[in-house]
Amino acid sequence: MRAFTYERAKDAVAAARAVATNPSAKFIAGGTNLLDLMKIEVEVPTHLVDVQDLGFDKIEATPEGGLRIGALVTNTNLAADALIRRDYGVLTRAIVAGASGQLRNKASTAGNLLQRTRCPYFYDTNMVCNKRKPGSGCAAIGGYSRQWGVIGISESCIATFPGDMAVAMRVLDAVIETIDGEGQSRSIPIADFHRLWGDTPERDTVLRQGELITAVTLPKPLGGRHFYEKVRDRASYAYALVSVAAVIQSDGTGRVAFGGLAPKPWRVEEADALLPRGAAAVTERAFQGATPTKDNAFKLPLATRALAAVLAEAKA
């Protein structure tokens, strides 16, 4: 690990300004992803701004009937919250499907949204990787690609977003709140938050340098039954090959989003309308234009079967 300087922020705007004015600076909260990447020199910040003391650790009701989740609420506390469990069950199910209890005790809501891909070519500094070094190439393309993306990918990168929580938040139409070094705030729908790779896969999200996440807002509850189906290589502590987050109403209508398949949680609203017609109709529309490799083409029928299992449980 390379040497770096460190400060513990007491004010959100000052923290944002400190990172905005230093291109080599990073925010740190739980550090469950950033510190791992620093140890292997994939991330090499020269300065860390610790935001743990900023007080963004509460879950509060909004005037619109939803919930506002502070950026520093831990995964454990978010999943266990009584209102989340009652009204946003898909979020609890997604969170407890990820990582381990120890990591969930430390990982923050904002950090979970910002976690970087687990592509081994990204982690291996001996391999070329456009995310790590723009313009160097992508070793995953033409390499072993079983785990990686089938849709929304590009000729520059085929990595996937690894998280579970964000897939549930995509179904719920969450909104990410931020503040910058000038004190300006903005609200970003989660549908627009994570980027498709295109020609700039080094940029995971639409956040600008120094823009700090302060909270995630959920709209009023959707009702219905909530599901999170995660298909992985082992029973725990593994990233999804395919995941399905769904909210299904009693008449068979609902919403569905997929994980493990794209650079971002994948939801196509037009496909939601096809839920009463069955899983195959939904996935045919949702993955229209998919470009799988020979190693990961199995993910498309696997997604259909995972959604079919959810729909069967909903009917039961």
Side-chain angles (χ1 to χ4, degrees):
M1 183 183 288
R2 300 186 188 184
F4 58 89
T5 54
Y6 170 89
E7 67 175 287
R8 195 135 184 167
K10 301 297 182 183
D11 173 80
V13 174
R17 188 181 303 118
V19 174
T21 55
N22 182 352
S24 296
K26 293 277 186 179
F27 298 115
I28 187 169
T32 57
N33 187 205
L34 177 60
L35 290 178
D36 282 345
L37 293 173
M38 289 174 65
K39 290 173 185 177
I40 58 176
E41 296 192 355
V42 170
E43 294 274 12
V44 286
T46 61
H47 185 63
L48 293 183
V49 179
D50 193 328
V51 296
Q52 291 184 80
D53 294 338
L54 297 185
F56 302 140
D57 58 353
K58 299 177 179 60
I59 302 173
E60 303 168 307
T62 67
E64 296 76 22
L67 289 179
R68 187 172 187 270
I69 303 162
L72 297 174
V73 173
T74 66
N75 286 181
T76 294
N77 289 343
L78 180 57
D81 183 83
L83 292 178
I84 295 292
R85 288 167 60 89
R86 186 189 73 186
D87 295 331
Y88 305 95
V90 64
L91 187 53
T92 290
R93 289 176 170 85
I95 291 170
V96 299
S100 65
Q102 294 93 329
L103 286 171
R104 293 194 296 268
N105 287 342
K106 190 65 176 174
S108 67
T109 297
N112 198 298
L113 289 170
L114 294 172
Q115 62 183 301
R116 308 207 69 188
T117 185
R118 265 48 179 199
C119 178
Y121 298 105
F122 171 69
Y123 271 68
D124 186 346
T125 56
N126 293 310
M127 295 289 182
V128 295
C129 174
N130 287 318
K131 291 186 70 62
R132 187 173 8 90
K133 186 178 179 181
S136 64
C138 176
I141 297 176
Y144 185 61
S145 55
R146 178 177 180 271
Q147 188 78 21
W148 311 126
V150 299
I151 195 164
I153 54 179
S154 74
E155 294 181 356
S156 297
C157 183
I158 60 172
T160 55
F161 175 76
D164 295 292
M165 183 192 78
V167 183
M169 287 187 169
R170 179 66 183 92
V171 161
L172 297 170
D173 282 336
V175 175
I176 292 96
E177 299 177 6
T178 70
I179 195 166
D180 65 17
E182 302 299 321
Q184 300 296 313
S185 61
R186 67 167 172 158
S187 298
I188 308 168
I190 194 167
D192 303 325
F193 183 73
H194 296 100
R195 298 178 64 255
L196 300 182
W197 302 141
D199 295 329
T200 53
E202 69 275 13
R203 294 183 56 212
D204 293 346
T205 72
V206 298
L207 292 180
R208 298 183 286 264
Q209 177 70 18
E211 194 170 8
L212 176 66
I213 297 175
T214 57
V216 176
T217 301
L218 302 178
K220 63 182 181 181
L222 295 171
R225 297 185 65 190
H226 292 216
F227 302 89
Y228 191 75
E229 181 79 9
K230 183 175 181 179
V231 184
R232 46 190 163 178
D233 286 326
R234 57 180 183 267
S236 66
Y237 203 64
Y239 298 99
L241 291 168
V242 170
S243 65
V244 177
V247 177
I248 308 297
Q249 306 297 335
S250 58
D251 61 359
T253 61
R255 301 178 177 187
V256 61
F258 298 89
L261 299 166
K264 61 193 296 183
W266 195 257
R267 180 180 169 209
V268 176
E269 279 81 353
E270 293 87 346
D272 290 349
L274 302 176
L275 277 166
R277 293 173 51 184
V282 173
T283 55
E284 181 180 3
R285 177 62 187 89
F287 304 130
Q288 189 174 12
T291 55
T293 69
K294 62 180 177 60
D295 294 327
N296 64 22
F298 73 93
K299 284 191 172 191
L300 294 172
L302 184 60
T304 301
R305 292 196 294 270
L307 177 57
V310 167
L311 296 180
E313 186 177 352
K315 289 180 181 179

